[in-house]
Amino acid sequence: MEETRQTKTQAAKGHKLALNNRSAGTVSGVKDVISFDLKDILLDTDAGMLAISGENLHISRLTLEKGEVDIEGQVDSLTYSDSSKYARQGESILSRLFK
């Protein structure tokens, strides 16, 4: 029963992306920030992996409890992919990053 409640809550939360003039935006439904630098931000979202590419990219606000991220900088591209491509059996994303 608990699993059903969590699934409904997660489904209701969903994923939303709002981008203003390619320079500022908000992403909701974020599960984790995988990596970020001035040219790329990689987010694990409810809709899959989201790769944001551009120039002078910054995460101005991060609230993983609510699943929200605010970004700033010049956004050149947004690319979604299946998060299962990034997962290896029995190994977390963080453990692969810190090898």
Side-chain angles (χ1 to χ4, degrees):
M1 185 123 183
E2 183 66 31
E3 184 178 331
T4 305
R5 274 188 238 165
Q6 288 177 344
T7 304
K8 286 181 182 178
T9 303
Q10 290 171 349
K13 184 174 153 183
H15 169 66
K16 184 177 178 182
L17 173 75
L19 185 62
N20 299 318
N21 296 322
R22 291 180 53 189
S23 62
T26 301
V27 183
S28 64
V30 175
K31 297 177 188 177
D32 198 5
V33 176
I34 306 304
S35 66
F36 64 94
D37 60 30
L38 293 176
K39 293 186 178 270
D40 297 293
I41 299 173
L42 182 60
L43 305 172
D44 184 7
T45 73
D46 292 337
M49 298 301 270
L50 172 59
I52 303 169
S53 298
E55 297 291 327
N56 297 316
L57 295 175
H58 300 280
I59 294 178
S60 59
R61 183 180 64 94
L62 169 64
T63 310
L64 287 179
E65 293 82 22
K66 292 182 179 181
E68 297 175 347
V69 173
D70 288 350
I71 60 167
E72 295 176 347
Q74 179 184 331
V75 175
D76 293 331
S77 72
L78 302 164
T79 307
Y80 286 93
S81 61
D82 187 14
S83 59
S84 66
K85 286 200 255 181
Y86 294 91
R88 293 185 196 158
Q89 191 171 14
E91 190 175 15
S92 74
I93 292 172
L94 286 177
S95 67
R96 291 193 317 270
L97 285 175
F98 294 110
K99 279 188 175 178

